[in-house]
Amino acid sequence: MEIKLGFGQIPKSQYIFVNRESDYCWYMLSEDKRQIPIYDKALTGVITGIEVNKKVETSFGEAEKTDLSILADKPYIIRSGSDSYFSKSLLLSLDALTFEQLRKPITITVSPGERTIVFCAIYDPENYRAIDVNWDGHKELNWQALGEKVSLKINHLHHSSQKHTEISERLTIAQLREIMMVKIDTYLAELGWTKEEGKQYLQQKYGKRSRHHLTETELLDFMMVIFETLYTQAIASPKAS
């Protein structure tokens, strides 16, 4: 994102609100609270965070909203009603994305439904393909649980990447590798993988039999893959409360 010198707007996130009007589905607000229509139907950027079921004061009283933070030409926050079709289709699409896809730019689109309904779809801008989601049984779906799952997934990924960057700035490569090695040992122990299973995975994905032969990028990728596997297992088999 290019930094422009001189006078300009206050450097803060721009809120995007979702609402179906006659010829557009989302808009911004001017300083005097007038709607500024956005006629484009797609926004491409990197997701940096999400807040679900966030309580917000509106002109109609308190309401629950979903705020999705995305970095494009500038930081944006897409705000929609937690119970809206947009939020629900957004959560289904985000849940279907892998950790690898979430680290890359994605395209969020809006499309009008009947009356006031707005749907969301997510595309991979590299291959122009939409992320497939399944609406079967959506009426019985626990949307609060899905929101918490997606929030954990996205916010942990962003926090881990940010923390990795901060650590990288003050540690040597050797120290950074040692930290990742310890993390990997912890994740592998929780997964119950044997040393041989780990070696087989390394051979299949990276063509190497030992973690010590991986580059820093490969080691970070391996750590995130293990975490994703651990995360998926935890979601599939939640511990009894």
Side-chain angles (χ1 to χ4, degrees):
M1 188 171 62
E2 182 183 357
I3 298 177
K4 297 180 179 179
L5 303 181
F7 288 105
Q9 296 181 338
I10 298 174
K12 62 181 181 180
S13 297
Q14 173 68 62
Y15 275 87
I16 304 296
F17 301 92
V18 178
N19 190 46
R20 185 181 173 186
E21 301 294 342
S22 59
D23 54 352
Y24 60 91
C25 292
W26 48 14
Y27 62 89
M28 297 180 287
L29 287 178
S30 64
E31 291 186 0
D32 59 357
K33 305 301 182 183
R34 289 185 298 105
Q35 288 190 15
I36 303 174
I38 301 174
Y39 295 105
D40 292 313
K41 294 185 177 180
L43 173 62
T44 300
V46 177
I47 293 175
T48 58
I50 188 171
E51 288 186 79
V52 296
N53 301 319
K54 179 180 179 180
K55 296 188 184 300
V56 175
E57 285 295 333
T58 71
S59 56
F60 300 101
E62 189 177 78
E64 289 191 348
K65 302 291 184 179
T66 295
D67 281 359
L68 181 75
S69 298
I70 181 169
L71 182 62
D73 58 313
K74 63 186 295 184
Y76 293 97
I77 298 176
I78 302 174
R79 171 166 289 180
S80 55
S82 294
D83 198 41
S84 67
Y85 278 90
F86 179 90
S87 285
K88 290 179 178 179
S89 48
L90 173 68
L91 289 178
L92 286 173
S93 297
L94 292 174
D95 184 48
L97 290 173
T98 65
F99 278 83
E100 183 178 359
Q101 289 173 312
L102 283 170
R103 286 193 285 265
K104 299 177 180 179
I106 54 96
T107 299
I108 297 177
T109 68
V110 288
S111 58
E114 296 181 358
R115 291 182 289 184
T116 61
I117 292 176
V118 178
F119 288 102
C120 167
I122 291 181
Y123 286 77
D124 184 334
E126 292 183 348
N127 57 30
Y128 298 96
R129 293 178 182 173
I131 304 301
D132 290 331
V133 296
N134 185 2
W135 275 89
D136 293 342
H138 73 277
K139 292 183 178 179
E140 292 77 33
L141 194 61
N142 186 333
W143 291 104
Q144 183 174 354
L146 179 62
E148 291 174 356
K149 175 185 174 185
V150 170
S151 179
L152 174 66
K153 181 179 181 181
I154 291 175
N155 294 329
H156 176 88
L157 176 64
H158 178 61
H159 176 72
S160 296
S161 299
Q162 188 178 50
K163 194 169 184 180
H164 169 68
T165 301
E166 293 172 353
I167 291 174
S168 299
E169 292 175 349
R170 63 178 185 268
L171 295 180
T172 66
I173 295 298
Q175 289 171 321
L176 184 59
R177 288 182 67 90
E178 183 62 30
I179 290 172
M180 288 193 285
M181 289 288 190
V182 172
K183 278 284 188 183
I184 289 171
D185 284 336
T186 301
Y187 292 156
L188 288 175
E190 292 184 33
L191 280 174
W193 281 21
T194 64
K195 289 184 178 180
E196 188 57 35
E197 287 175 321
K199 289 179 179 179
Q200 289 177 0
Y201 182 87
L202 292 175
Q203 183 67 46
Q204 291 173 357
K205 183 161 186 179
Y206 307 105
K208 301 173 183 177
R209 289 281 291 176
S210 171
R211 279 183 274 161
H212 296 283
H213 297 153
L214 298 178
T215 66
E216 285 70 47
T217 301
E218 290 171 338
L219 196 61
L220 177 61
D221 180 71
F222 182 43
M223 185 179 73
M224 293 307 297
V225 166
I226 298 171
F227 172 78
E228 180 179 1
T229 305
L230 187 63
Y231 165 85
T232 302
Q233 287 187 5
I235 293 297
S237 305
K239 295 180 181 179
S241 55

